[in-house]
Amino acid sequence: MNLKKLIRKNILALEPYSTARDEFKGGDISVWLDANESPYPNGVNRYPDPHQRQLKQRLSSLFRIKKESIFLGGAGSDEAIDVTFRIFCEPGKDNAVAISPSYGVYKVAAAINDVLLKEVLLNDDFTLPVERILDTTDGSTKLIWICSPNNPTGNAFPKEDITRIAEAFDGIVVVDEAYGDFSEKGSMLAEIDAHPNVIVLRTFSKAWGMAGMRCGMAFAVPEIIEYFDRVKYPYNMSSIIQEELLRRIEEGTGNHIPEIVSERSRLAAEIHEAGCVEEIYPSDANFLLVKVTDADAVYDYLIGNGVIVRNRTRMPLCHNTLRITVGTPDENDRTINLLKNYGK
């Protein structure tokens, strides 16, 4: 991979902002007068570690990947999505390719960065159209976005298909695995060294149950992560978030995965009997995409009874579908009963 050929020229030449904490190389310091902070302790009067070293060290052990291959950002995975566009795509010149239907932020981030996003419809059974994706690329295509498991369809794509794309494409393939913890199809995380043009996104928002913390991760070869660190804003994650993430990781906050996977199967089996349900698509995520008789009507009925789901009927290939997140057993029972009693 010729990384310098892919990265924007101004980013290659960019001198990142150097914080006071970057310039401090260590020593026995008891008086900190280098960063214009308040000297009065209140728990947050000092700037956080701009490189999240302690947190990255723990994640390195957790994911079995070197810390130099980890980027941490705020706003869930969305910061990493935006930074990826800013590193690789020249505004008004380069383009990117994404599957459709999929996560809507790719399109929004592309528009913000003035990058054309070319969308390729999934096959009718929601499988990955490998050849059509590759055929849609051209000499100005820098990125391919693949969400796996995909949102809103819920299915994970075979690693072999993603690998074929990565090996055939002379650009960056971003694999968004926000829902990967719920899937048994395997991750591309272990393939980064073998496929250095692959970036894998993960998040603490789903399986880890920390959506309110707004922390996302990008994993790639160190040469790519170096540019993520150049482009990001200096203190993009507060000390409070770093400390709380470390504490919750040690507590094992992601231990609800088996129950969610089990409840996903139960929810699918139970609502299959509802008269308004026409099809339940296979899911590798923490939600189900469900085809119903009238998505707008069923959606309004559920809201009227205190349950909100996501109406996806206006997305490509998703006519009359609702995306139903797997809740607690009690929440799922309530949803099941409502759907079974719809129209009665």
Side-chain angles (χ1 to χ4, degrees), residues 55 213-215 237-246:
L55 182 54
M213 301 277 282
R214 309 310 298 131
C215 178
M237 184 177 294
S238 73
S239 55
I240 294 175
I241 296 298
Q242 293 183 47
E243 292 164 8
E244 188 67 7
L245 279 168
L246 278 167

Side-chain angles (χ1 to χ4, degrees), residues 6 80 101 118 141 145 148 157-158 162 176 238 244 249 252 271 300 313 318:
L6 297 174
K118 299 191 287 186
T141 306
W145 296 89
S148 180
F157 304 116
I162 299 173
D176 189 344
S238 73
E244 188 67 7
I249 288 171
I271 65 174
D300 289 341
T313 191
C318 295

Side-chain angles (χ1 to χ4, degrees), residues 113-294:
N113 287 281
D114 193 20
V115 175
L116 173 66
L117 188 72
K118 299 191 287 186
E119 295 180 300
V120 179
L121 275 180
L122 294 174
N123 296 322
D124 289 341
D125 59 357
F126 296 152
T127 53
L128 201 62
V130 174
E131 297 306 324
R132 282 196 286 120
I133 289 172
L134 292 171
D135 289 344
T136 304
T137 66
D138 58 38
S140 297
T141 306
K142 294 292 187 67
L143 305 172
I144 294 176
W145 296 89
I146 300 174
C147 186
S148 180
N150 188 37
N151 176 13
T153 60
N155 58 313
F157 304 116
K159 287 174 60 178
E160 294 77 12
D161 286 352
I162 299 173
T163 299
R164 281 175 57 200
I165 292 172
E167 291 177 348
F169 178 52
D170 190 22
I172 301 295
V173 178
V174 189
V175 186
D176 189 344
E177 295 183 351
Y179 301 95
D181 296 288
F182 303 103
S183 173
E184 296 182 354
K185 298 286 181 64
S187 168
M188 288 296 291
L189 200 53
E191 306 297 321
I192 286 172
D193 288 334
H195 299 89
N197 63 330
V198 170
I199 298 173
V200 175
L201 305 184
R202 289 287 187 96
T203 181
F204 283 101
S205 296
K206 310 300 180 184
W208 286 89
M210 292 186 266
M213 301 277 282
R214 309 310 298 131
C215 178
M217 299 163 277
F219 301 90
V221 292
E223 293 82 0
I224 289 178
I225 296 300
E226 177 187 345
Y227 286 96
F228 271 82
D229 289 335
R230 286 194 196 188
V231 171
K232 78 173 183 70
Y233 288 107
Y235 299 109
N236 65 325
M237 184 177 294
S238 73
S239 55
I240 294 175
I241 296 298
Q242 293 183 47
E243 292 164 8
E244 188 67 7
L245 279 168
L246 278 167
R247 184 183 71 81
R248 289 173 180 258
I249 288 171
E250 296 310 319
E251 288 181 352
T253 313
N255 57 10
H256 294 297
I257 296 171
E259 181 174 293
I260 290 174
V261 171
S262 175
E263 282 293 297
R264 181 181 70 195
S265 297
R266 184 178 77 88
L267 181 63
E270 291 280 356
I271 65 174
H272 183 73
E273 301 174 8
C276 62
V277 172
E278 295 187 342
E279 186 170 1
I280 302 167
Y281 297 96
S283 176
D284 298 292
N286 68 333
F287 61 84
L288 298 172
L289 186 69
V290 180
K291 186 174 183 181
V292 295
T293 51
D294 185 333

Side-chain angles (χ1 to χ4, degrees), residues 49-126:
D49 174 7
H51 303 293
Q52 308 102 19
R53 294 176 181 87
Q54 189 177 359
L55 182 54
K56 285 181 180 177
Q57 188 64 53
R58 182 65 185 90
L59 294 175
S60 173
S61 173
L62 183 67
F63 290 105
R64 298 179 181 178
I65 192 167
K66 49 185 174 284
K67 62 183 183 299
E68 294 83 7
S69 287
I70 303 172
F71 167 78
L72 294 174
S77 297
D78 296 345
E79 181 180 353
I81 292 169
D82 178 63
V83 170
T84 301
F85 275 110
R86 286 193 277 145
I87 291 171
F88 294 103
C89 293
E90 191 73 45
K93 177 182 175 182
D94 293 327
N95 67 70
V97 171
I99 57 175
S100 179
S102 196
Y103 184 39
V105 168
Y106 311 139
K107 190 171 186 177
V108 173
I112 290 170
N113 287 281
D114 193 20
V115 175
L116 173 66
L117 188 72
K118 299 191 287 186
E119 295 180 300
V120 179
L121 275 180
L122 294 174
N123 296 322
D124 289 341
D125 59 357
F126 296 152

